Amino acid sequence: MSKPLISALAQFAAATAGRNMTKAAYVAVVVGVLGMVLLSDKRAHEAHGWIGALLWACLAYFVFEWLVRLRHMGQHGRLSLYMSSSAGVVDAIGALAVPVALFLGAEPGTAWLLGVLWVLKVVPGIPGLRQLRRVLVLESGPLVSVLVIFLMVVFLASVAEYFLERDVQPQTFGSVPAALWWAVVTLTTTGYGDAVPVTPLGRLVAAAVMISGLGVFGLWTGILATGFAAETRRDNFLKTWEAVSKVPFFAALGPAAIADVTHMLRTMELPARTMIIRKGAQGDCMYFIAAGEVEVDLPGKKVQLGEGAFFGEMALLGNNKRGANVSTTKVSRLLVLDLVDFRVLMARHPDLAETIDAEAKRRALENK
């Protein structure tokens, strides 16, 4: 075997040993799940041979991935930690579910249905799902409380409808378990219409259940929306904090002052050759460069400003008209400070005000 091939295989195994999904893993998941779906279609009987071959290839990859990770974690003394983690359990299921089902005598068409579990492998790589998990953990108390209300309403409504409708509709409401189906369908506002109260009191109970359903799901929606908003603010705060701490202009500030600044700044991610400021436009904010570079188009010359520099302050110090065009020269991350927040920040931190004022006077002299 040639050295380049051995090196490529070693790099592939090293990438597979990591906890994150590789491109090959994503391809295997997509191909495997599509193959499982096509295999269930009897109209594609003639293609079942090559579909089965694709499924076996995907399974072989997942087994290889699992064994490589077991070996890697064993070498680093983290085998038990990996096997008990959610990622380890998902990897084991992806590698063993189909073979175990076949070994126990399941029909191949039935055993390959377990290939749908392969989609679980992409879960750790989705940032939004990790955020959802944090929200569910942090808001577990309120969510469980609403769930208890949901179950109470379902049970009380089912018992009430059983009592009111059992004699009129014995086949539909002849038992509490049968009435439970109606209560769940009604409370979730699905309304299949297969079970409908006909007595006046039964319909009154149904109306109360429908209204309760709107309230219960409204509470769940509000709790989750508030939790997601809080998590988004937290993530944005951490990202802005990291960006602010890297700007030399703020380096001398203490943690309390940086937190104060972070709450006031908002982050902008801009591609290269994007116009930020147009000459003559009304100015209502200034910018700090957290990463990247911008170009200031001054009369007779162009000035590049890099990471840690700031611009646009002249419009906040008296002259509210922009004096030059400013655009990015590469992908840049900017921190934006609006006029109102600028005045508050300068009042709280006079040393920053002096620094910005001195830099503004220096630039004004240079631009004459």
Side-chain angles (χ1 to χ4, degrees), residues 146 150 153 186-190 206-222:
V146 179
F150 177 89
V153 174
T186 305
L187 189 59
T188 57
T189 67
T190 304
V209 172
M210 295 175 196
I211 296 172
S212 298
L214 295 175
V216 166
F217 284 94
L219 284 173
W220 265 329
T221 303

Side-chain angles (χ1 to χ4, degrees), residues 18 37 66 124 203 210 244 249 257 283 302-304 315 339 343 353:
V37 173
W66 182 53
R203 290 180 175 179
M210 295 175 196
V244 169
F249 183 77
K302 293 184 178 181
V303 178
Q304 278 75 35
L339 176 60
R343 291 173 177 170

Side-chain angles (χ1 to χ4, degrees), residues 243-253 288-291 306-310 335 352 355:
V244 169
S245 62
K246 291 181 179 178
V247 176
F249 183 77
F250 298 117
L253 297 178
F288 299 89
I289 305 174
E307 184 174 330
F310 59 87
L335 304 176
L352 293 182
T355 303

Side-chain angles (χ1 to χ4, degrees), residues 132-217:
L132 175 60
R133 183 179 62 184
R134 290 197 301 269
V135 171
L136 292 176
V137 171
L138 293 174
E139 303 294 338
S140 58
L143 290 173
V144 170
S145 299
V146 179
L147 176 61
V148 171
I149 296 174
F150 177 89
L151 296 176
M152 289 174 59
V153 174
V154 165
F155 185 72
L156 292 173
S158 62
V159 172
E161 287 297 338
Y162 166 70
F163 175 76
L164 296 171
E165 300 284 333
R166 60 183 176 177
D167 296 330
V168 181
Q169 301 186 77
Q171 292 183 344
T172 304
F173 295 96
S175 66
V176 173
L180 278 171
W181 167 253
W182 169 86
V184 171
V185 170
T186 305
L187 189 59
T188 57
T189 67
T190 304
Y192 289 123
D194 56 339
V196 180
V198 295
T199 63
L201 288 178
R203 290 180 175 179
L204 185 62
V205 171
V209 172
M210 295 175 196
I211 296 172
S212 298
L214 295 175
V216 166
F217 284 94

Side-chain angles (χ1 to χ4, degrees), residues 1-198:
M1 189 178 292
S2 62
K3 290 185 177 180
L5 181 58
I6 294 175
S7 176
L9 288 175
Q11 292 178 359
F12 179 72
T16 303
R19 301 290 292 275
N20 296 326
M21 289 281 287
T22 61
K23 292 182 179 179
Y26 281 112
V27 172
V29 168
V30 173
V31 172
V33 173
L34 288 178
M36 180 271 297
V37 173
L38 293 175
L39 192 66
S40 66
D41 188 354
K42 295 182 179 180
R43 294 173 298 179
H45 179 74
E46 296 180 355
H48 282 188
W50 65 264
I51 293 175
L54 284 177
L55 288 172
W56 278 109
C58 294
L59 178 61
Y61 173 81
F62 293 129
V63 172
F64 165 77
E65 181 185 60
W66 182 53
L67 294 176
V68 167
R69 288 178 177 174
L70 285 175
R71 179 175 177 272
H72 176 76
M73 294 300 176
Q75 289 176 342
H76 291 78
R78 293 182 292 175
L79 181 59
S80 59
L81 180 63
Y82 166 70
M83 293 181 67
S84 61
S85 66
S86 58
V89 172
V90 169
D91 288 342
I93 291 174
L96 300 177
V98 175
V100 169
L102 291 172
F103 178 77
L104 294 177
E107 291 291 331
T110 302
W112 283 115
L113 290 177
L114 295 174
V116 73
L117 297 174
W118 293 338
V119 299
L120 296 177
K121 297 177 73 67
V122 306
V123 170
I126 303 177
L129 292 180
R130 291 199 296 269
Q131 188 178 26
L132 175 60
R133 183 179 62 184
R134 290 197 301 269
V135 171
L136 292 176
V137 171
L138 293 174
E139 303 294 338
S140 58
L143 290 173
V144 170
S145 299
V146 179
L147 176 61
V148 171
I149 296 174
F150 177 89
L151 296 176
M152 289 174 59
V153 174
V154 165
F155 185 72
L156 292 173
S158 62
V159 172
E161 287 297 338
Y162 166 70
F163 175 76
L164 296 171
E165 300 284 333
R166 60 183 176 177
D167 296 330
V168 181
Q169 301 186 77
Q171 292 183 344
T172 304
F173 295 96
S175 66
V176 173
L180 278 171
W181 167 253
W182 169 86
V184 171
V185 170
T186 305
L187 189 59
T188 57
T189 67
T190 304
Y192 289 123
D194 56 339
V196 180
V198 295

Side-chain angles (χ1 to χ4, degrees), residues 306-339:
E307 184 174 330
F310 59 87
F311 60 94
E313 77 288 348
M314 299 293 289
L316 306 183
L317 293 174
N319 181 14
N320 58 358
K321 295 290 186 180
R322 299 297 191 185
N325 293 326
V326 182
S327 58
T328 59
T329 59
K330 59 178 70 171
V331 177
S332 303
R333 184 189 303 115
L334 304 180
L335 304 176
V336 186
L337 181 64
D338 293 319
L339 176 60

